[in-house]
Amino acid sequence: HYKKVHACNKCFNSTRCNVKKDPSKVVRKVLKDALDSKIFIIAQSIAERTQRLSGLPYTYTTGQLSATGKKLDRFLSLIDYTIIPNNGRRLVYSSDIVHCYPGKKNNGTGDNKPTPQEIQNCHSWLTKEIKIIKPKALLLLGKVAAETFFYLYRKEQINNFESFLNKEFKMKIDDLNLSVFVLPHPASMYPKLSEIYKTTMELIRS
């Protein structure tokens, strides 16, 4: 599956996509322990300096976690999960709405949000990934991931992000029954970020 995703060229040279051919991007590495994870986290897109270059989510080529990865790992520890392979806790499975790096904004203030065409091009890859892993719970990290997921799989608009926090949503993808949780992205400066994560982790634990 990862090799097929890596070979995908649907977005290249499309005027409706920001993603371009990226010779520095590597094939994602298979983490065997993550394949049995009951927790599946979904963010906006892969990051420029971590998975794009290392093949591992939230991890630099040096093997060190990014600052975002470290914060996420602290939150995952509340339910005895981790983003770090072989550290004694259960390894979480991590993916993204878009499987390529969408580039930086022209004004230099951050990464581009995935375009509707990029999201549509990656939709089948994400669905296939969820069906392979068969998780019990999905954690949607950030507004873009949450809005996109709810639209793709429930045809529902998120008009008020805050109203979706600290709640459990029951969803079904084919024959999979899933508990879905919306969270601010751990890299954000969202107010009361730690409290929201703690509340959600308690919901998952229960």
Side-chain angles (χ1 to χ4, degrees):
H1 179 73
Y2 291 166
K3 287 178 180 178
K4 289 178 181 177
V5 171
H6 188 73
C8 178
N9 61 5
K10 292 179 182 178
C11 292
F12 302 159
N13 302 317
S14 170
T15 57
R16 292 183 291 174
C17 300
N18 291 314
V19 169
K20 305 299 179 187
K21 189 172 183 179
D22 184 358
S24 297
K25 181 174 178 267
V26 302
V27 180
R28 185 172 172 182
K29 296 178 181 177
V30 176
L31 295 173
K32 188 175 180 181
D33 290 344
L35 302 182
D36 295 323
S37 177
K38 300 304 179 186
I39 308 293
F40 190 119
I41 60 178
I42 303 174
Q44 172 178 308
S45 58
I46 68 170
E48 180 184 19
R49 297 188 297 126
T50 51
Q51 184 177 310
R52 171 178 166 265
L53 301 178
S54 70
L56 295 172
Y58 303 96
T59 306
Y60 295 122
T61 55
T62 60
Q64 298 297 309
L65 279 188
S66 65
T68 300
K70 290 176 181 177
K71 190 182 292 186
L72 177 61
D73 192 64
R74 288 198 299 272
F75 293 137
L76 290 172
S77 71
L78 298 173
I79 53 172
D80 199 34
Y81 269 84
T82 182
I83 198 72
I84 307 170
N86 305 313
N87 84 335
R89 286 184 265 135
R90 289 172 291 180
L91 188 61
V92 76
Y93 190 91
S94 174
S95 191
D96 298 278
I97 295 293
V98 169
H99 295 278
C100 288
Y101 175 60
K104 289 192 176 298
K105 294 179 181 178
N106 291 333
N107 62 10
T109 58
D111 297 339
N112 287 315
K113 291 182 180 180
T115 69
Q117 188 62 55
E118 289 168 352
I119 289 167
Q120 189 58 44
N121 288 346
C122 271
H123 183 193
S124 62
W125 296 129
L126 180 61
T127 301
K128 178 67 174 177
E129 211 167 1
I130 293 170
K131 289 165 70 174
I132 290 171
I133 301 303
K134 296 181 173 59
K136 295 294 186 183
L138 294 177
L139 277 59
L140 308 178
L141 306 186
K143 190 174 181 180
V144 172
E147 288 178 343
T148 303
F149 189 89
F150 271 74
Y151 178 74
L152 289 175
Y153 295 100
R154 291 212 339 184
K155 301 304 178 187
E156 182 177 350
Q157 298 281 352
I158 293 182
N159 296 316
N160 182 355
F161 181 71
E162 288 75 16
S163 68
F164 280 71
L165 301 175
N166 298 331
K167 294 179 181 178
E168 179 180 3
F169 298 88
K170 296 293 187 179
M171 290 193 192
K172 193 164 187 175
I173 297 178
D174 291 345
D175 60 344
L176 286 176
N177 293 305
L178 300 164
S179 294
V180 179
F181 303 88
V182 174
L183 288 158
H185 196 281
S188 71
M189 300 299 291
Y190 199 88
K192 298 183 178 180
L193 183 72
S194 293
E195 291 180 25
I196 293 169
Y197 267 83
K198 287 177 182 177
T199 299
T200 297
M201 296 306 166
E202 283 300 318
L203 286 173
I204 294 170
R205 189 182 292 278
S206 65

